[in-house]
Amino acid sequence: MKRFFVVLRALILIIIFWALHNSHGSLPPFGKLFDPINGFWANNRTLDDIPDILDVNGLFSPVTVAWGERQVPHIFAENDHDLYFAQGYLMARHRIWQMDFVTSVAAGRVSEIIGEKALGFDKKQRRLGLLYGAEQALDFIKHDEATFAAVQAYTDGINAWQEQLPSRFKALEYKVLNYEPEPWTPLKTSLLLKYMAWDLTGRNVEHALTAVYEKYGQEALDHLYPSQTSFLDPIISKKKKWRFDPIKFLTKDSEPKESTAWFQPNHAQPDPHNGSNNWAISAERTSTGYPILSNDPHLGLNLPSIWYELQLVSPTQNVYGVALPGSPGVIIGYNDSIAWGVTNGGSDVFDWYDMRFENPSMMRYEFDGQWENAKFRIEEFHVRKDGTHFDSIPMTRFGPVVYSVSKDGKTHGMAMRWTAHDPSNELKTFLDLDKATNYDDYRKALVGYSCPAQNFAFASIQGDIAITHNGKFPLRKPHQGDAISSGLDSSEAWHGWIPMDQVPTIKNPSKFYVSSGNQNPVNEKYPYYLGWNYASYERGKRINDLLDETRHANAKNMMKIQLDNFNLHAQAILPTMLNFVSDSACSETGQNMLGDLKNWKYENTAGSKSAMVFKLWWTLLSDAIWSDLLPEGKEGGKYPNQDRQVELFAEILSEKTSYPWMPTKDVFEAKVQSTYNTTIDSMISAYGEVGEAWAQGKARGTDINHLLKIKGWGRTNLNTNGGDMIVNATKKIHGPSWRMIVELGPEITAYGVYPGGQSGNPGSQYFDNMVNSWVEGKYFQLHKLNKPGDLTGRDWIGTTVLRNTQ
Amino acid sequence: MIGSTIIGMIILGLFQYLTSSWWWVIVIPFFSGALYREGMMKATIQGSLIGGIVWTGISVAQFFGSADIVSDKIAAMIGIGQPFLLTIITGVLGFLLGAIAANTGNAIKQYVFPVRQF
């Protein structure tokens, strides 16, 4: 009996150890986590302390880092190797878990962290070819000595940090999820860039347009989804003359399409709101006598933030701006001579091809009347606690087969043609921009940039301004690739590429500014087809309206534009909607709210109830109009773009046309009334009777969640202005991820803010210290230094010297 | 007992710090229990004091030192209202682990090396 109790005790102890040492489902390993020396307690504010000296293995010369008040590092190195090494080292110090996790997501390796439940996601990521594309890109980058040297030095810097870090100080997320950091590799940097390419070009609604085509035919596609609307104010002036001979390419008629109703993509699509604003004003219209550049990229809002602010100084460059954690160099910023900013291009660089396979083995597919052999890419998944899994992906001449079906003796696969799968070196563009000194350097830097296509706004101290819709764009027939393409022959293959010297660009326009808000970059005079699914016109138009009025631009009035809350869409459609709402058909609350809507000045401020009601009403009306008429579910974006809907509603009311895919005027009017009533009922149901809870800032607000969506680690219910397709594009979980304004000149004055903080440590005071300023529309002055000692007073919090240990 | 408890606490803190492993809070009390000569109850109390005092003491120092923000985050994550409760949870965990480990160590010692009664 005594033996039994001894064994029992020992067993209980072992079980307790096992239970506390391991994670169980979503529960962290409590023994490790609560260890007061090595657990979460160690991820405290002392990690914010700035050391005077850091001994590092891998530097050629000492590197001096002056730390700005928000823990912004100003890195001074004697050569580029040490500069990128130090950038990697310091970024890892602040953001290593974020860098590691995001690249794991891109690589389809999340199941290594959280187990079998992520295997489906990982398999889809591999099929979408992010890892494949990253490998292709890295092989290409290796051929460019300077870029690869930067990536390698950056990698070495990250690993130097990781090797020095005592395990007790590893990032909190590793402790919660109970896994270990791994060494950084150049492939991870490449993966990060592919992750961004996916985020900015991966959204695809071809299946939805194909369904419309199959139901109503080509006329419906042309009518509902045109590439231009009457509202369009394109990025490149309508007056621009295209002085080049466009490439002519032969096109063949494609075969009639087979039904692709089986194809219902279920992978996670990037946020449809991804976009940005940028503009540059020439010296003639500024109060400083030099150009001013502004940029605010709109991305998903998370903590840690997507951006990391820093200054990089070496004999070849002195650049300030924001970088992507995981990549060397500055992505958006300015140096002594130029400033640049990017917005998403939105042109179509991703097509689905319906492939017919010989049999379910998918070894051969039909192309131009012949059977072609597919190659197979074997993907391996090391699933946590579940061993190794495999996936075999057929690779066609168009790209990887992401979805397939075998039915009635036929096997079809949906192959993905995406420019991000092609070898490319986007990083070189940014590293060259960091060092650029004039317009020619800017143009040279853009050559070779492939995906994601961006609108690169530019301003220089010489007085030039420019914008280029830059990327690798396929040559296509008009509207080719809007719907799913046939992979049976070459008729719908891409016919080559638009030459880089023929992409849309403009320099020093007569209106004295350039700008973009993700709208179509060109009008119909541009000789190539770029796509149709651009952002609705409102942001671009509003920015242009405000810049047209601006005569003495300075940073202050540029801030005002970035924070502008005017709802151009509401101005365009709300009066029409209100015309068809009758007081007598509304509840008392509805009647009262009508008065508010009629008096609304179209400002999407945090305190506005009308902004909230209008947004919901528009969404419900749009659903009510199109959900019965257009096939497939809402996800996938089957509805016409917002500005096109406004045009179509006017068309319905004019009763000049009649189409089976459009409602009659009577139906439209009835739906305006009924959706208004539903809007009011929904608001009451969600927020009670009309009161403060109806205000946009309360009812919608903004949530900046932690990347893992861990409760309490983000900043939620932020009382924000702005909204969808408004210049201040702040939304529920999406918005301006970095606001920057640069006044060029002999003494550059610049301002910036992002909704987060420099540190990725949730236990740091610098984790989210800029969020409140961002919500309030405040900016921080950006101090670009000439030497470390230039930072003084409250702006300076310390200096670190990185010394080589060998 | 006081002397050996203090020695156990120092060894536990030192080993945890040097090796970054949490399970010394089991191992050290286990051996303190196994080496203890004055009966199981006292051995268990000694183990619990070694684990409990070290874990409570350090977590309280961390909480009032620099771990205020991270405590807020962890408290929110596990759904407890007051971050200070984390120090209590940490202390209780150290106390229980120390007690169970010391008790087990002492029981095994008594089984393997039984005290002969004359």
Side-chain angles (χ1 to χ4, degrees), chain A residues 89-101:
Chain A
Y89 185 91
L90 297 173
M91 272 189 169
R93 178 177 185 266
H94 274 145
R95 302 287 189 91
I96 185 61
W97 174 80
Q98 173 193 11
M99 292 154 61
D100 193 19
F101 182 74

Side-chain angles (χ1 to χ4, degrees), chain A residues 2-3 5-6 9-13 16-18 20-21 28 30-38 40-46 166-168 172 176 710-714 761-768, chain B residues 12-13 16-23 26 30 40 54-55 58-59 62-63 65-74 76-79 83 86-87 89-90 93 97 100-101 103-104 107-108 110-111 114:
Chain A
K2 194 171 181 183
R3 182 181 189 171
F5 281 112
V6 169
R9 279 187 171 94
L11 268 178
I12 289 171
L13 191 62
I16 288 173
F17 168 77
W18 174 83
L20 295 175
H21 191 69
F30 279 100
K32 286 182 187 173
L33 191 66
F34 278 80
D35 174 347
I37 295 175
N38 306 298
F40 75 84
W41 296 102
N43 297 84
N44 56 42
R45 282 187 286 110
T46 57
S167 103
R168 80 172 51 85
L172 187 58
V176 169
I710 295 174
K711 190 181 155 197
W713 288 26
N761 173 21
S764 162
Q765 61 186 309
Y766 299 102
F767 182 63
D768 57 4
Chain B
L12 172 59
Q16 275 200 237
Y17 182 79
L18 292 175
T19 66
S20 296
S21 296
W22 73 277
W23 39 257
I26 294 175
F30 177 88
M40 187 175 284
V54 169
W55 276 38
I58 297 173
S59 62
Q62 296 266 32
F63 182 81
S66 310
D68 48 348
I69 301 172
V70 75
S71 303
D72 287 347
K73 298 284 197 305
I74 297 293
M77 181 181 81
I78 63 176
L86 292 171
T87 62
I89 294 173
T90 305
L93 207 55
L97 288 170
I100 295 167
N103 183 282
T104 305
I108 290 173
Q110 284 189 28
Y111 180 73

Side-chain angles (χ1 to χ4, degrees), chain A residues 436-637:
Chain A
T437 59
N438 54 41
Y439 175 79
D440 289 341
D441 288 352
Y442 155 76
R443 291 292 293 160
K444 270 186 224 154
L446 300 192
V447 174
Y449 183 93
S450 175
C451 181
Q454 298 288 292
N455 301 306
F456 286 83
F458 163 87
S460 76
I461 197 166
Q462 295 89 356
D464 292 323
I465 60 166
I467 192 163
T468 305
H469 182 74
N470 197 66
K472 189 176 170 187
F473 302 114
L475 287 174
R476 282 187 285 212
K477 294 177 282 189
H479 296 287
Q480 181 189 333
D482 291 358
I484 294 167
S485 303
S486 168
L488 281 176
D489 56 38
S490 51
S491 60
E492 295 191 26
W494 293 352
H495 304 282
W497 307 103
I498 297 174
M500 291 304 282
D501 59 357
Q502 296 183 8
V503 299
T505 185
I506 194 161
K507 179 189 177 191
N508 298 331
S510 56
K511 62 183 181 180
F512 298 116
Y513 67 84
V514 294
S515 73
S516 72
N518 314 105
Q519 74 270 45
N520 193 329
V522 290
N523 69 354
E524 67 286 346
K525 288 182 191 161
Y526 184 65
Y528 300 110
Y529 181 66
L530 291 168
W532 71 275
N533 199 7
Y534 297 98
S536 194
Y537 79 106
E538 293 89 353
R539 272 188 292 115
K541 176 73 165 58
R542 177 67 178 164
I543 290 167
N544 290 351
D545 288 349
L546 293 170
L547 292 177
D548 281 335
E549 293 167 5
T550 304
R551 287 294 176 275
H552 304 286
N554 55 36
K556 285 276 171 348
N557 48 34
M558 295 301 97
M559 289 176 193
K560 215 171 156 190
I561 296 179
Q562 282 191 335
L563 300 170
D564 182 76
N565 295 309
F566 190 78
N567 192 329
L568 210 58
H569 173 55
Q571 187 189 40
I573 193 68
L574 183 59
T576 306
M577 290 161 72
L578 289 170
N579 276 342
F580 300 107
V581 178
S582 149
D583 265 11
S584 58
C586 297
S587 63
E588 192 184 331
T589 308
Q591 287 172 16
N592 292 338
M593 201 62 223
L594 273 181
D596 282 18
L597 285 167
K598 283 173 184 163
N599 293 324
W600 183 36
K601 304 291 183 203
Y602 310 119
E603 291 286 337
N604 267 53
T605 52
S608 171
K609 301 179 192 80
S610 296
M612 190 66 206
V613 170
F614 169 72
K615 173 69 182 165
L616 180 58
W617 186 15
W618 169 259
T619 305
L620 292 175
L621 176 63
S622 191
D623 274 345
I625 297 294
W626 303 113
S627 62
D628 294 340
L629 293 164
L630 300 180
E632 296 205 11
K634 186 166 64 170
E635 182 53 36

Side-chain angles (χ1 to χ4, degrees), chain A residues 416-450:
Chain A
M416 177 184 180
R417 181 74 183 96
W418 184 33
T419 53
H421 287 156
D422 298 347
S424 62
N425 183 1
E426 287 76 17
L427 189 53
K428 178 174 168 36
T429 293
F430 294 107
L431 298 181
D432 288 351
L433 282 172
D434 292 351
K435 300 172 184 175
T437 59
N438 54 41
Y439 175 79
D440 289 341
D441 288 352
Y442 155 76
R443 291 292 293 160
K444 270 186 224 154
L446 300 192
V447 174
Y449 183 93
S450 175

Side-chain angles (χ1 to χ4, degrees), chain A residues 170-221:
Chain A
K170 73 182 177 190
L172 187 58
E173 290 88 346
Y174 288 118
K175 295 178 182 177
V176 169
L177 294 174
N178 196 25
Y179 75 111
E180 295 298 321
E182 63 178 20
W184 192 260
T185 62
L187 180 63
K188 287 176 179 253
T189 294
S190 188
L191 275 164
L192 176 82
L193 299 173
K194 292 301 161 189
Y195 177 84
M196 291 309 297
W198 173 253
D199 204 31
L200 297 172
T201 64
R203 190 162 183 82
N204 187 303
V205 293
E206 288 170 18
H207 64 292
L209 265 65
T210 304
V212 173
Y213 170 83
E214 289 175 1
K215 185 170 181 181
Y216 295 118
Q218 186 63 43
E219 190 186 3
L221 286 190

Side-chain angles (χ1 to χ4, degrees), chain A residues 50 63-77 83 86-87 90 94 308-314 318-321 334 758 781-792 795-802:
Chain A
I50 292 171
V63 173
T64 304
V65 184
W67 292 93
E69 55 158 348
R70 290 168 287 118
Q71 285 238 343
V72 176
H74 304 257
I75 306 172
F76 290 78
L83 185 68
Q87 185 186 3
L90 297 173
H94 274 145
Y308 185 82
E309 189 180 334
L310 80 174
Q311 183 183 358
L312 298 173
V313 188
S314 78
N318 183 348
V319 60
Y320 191 111
Y334 63 99
Q758 290 287 87
Q781 187 163 357
L782 311 181
H783 302 286
K784 193 171 82 61
L785 316 178
N786 292 317
K787 57 183 190 301
D790 288 348
L791 205 56
T792 53
D795 299 328
W796 175 80
I797 56 170
T799 299
T800 301
V801 176
L802 276 68

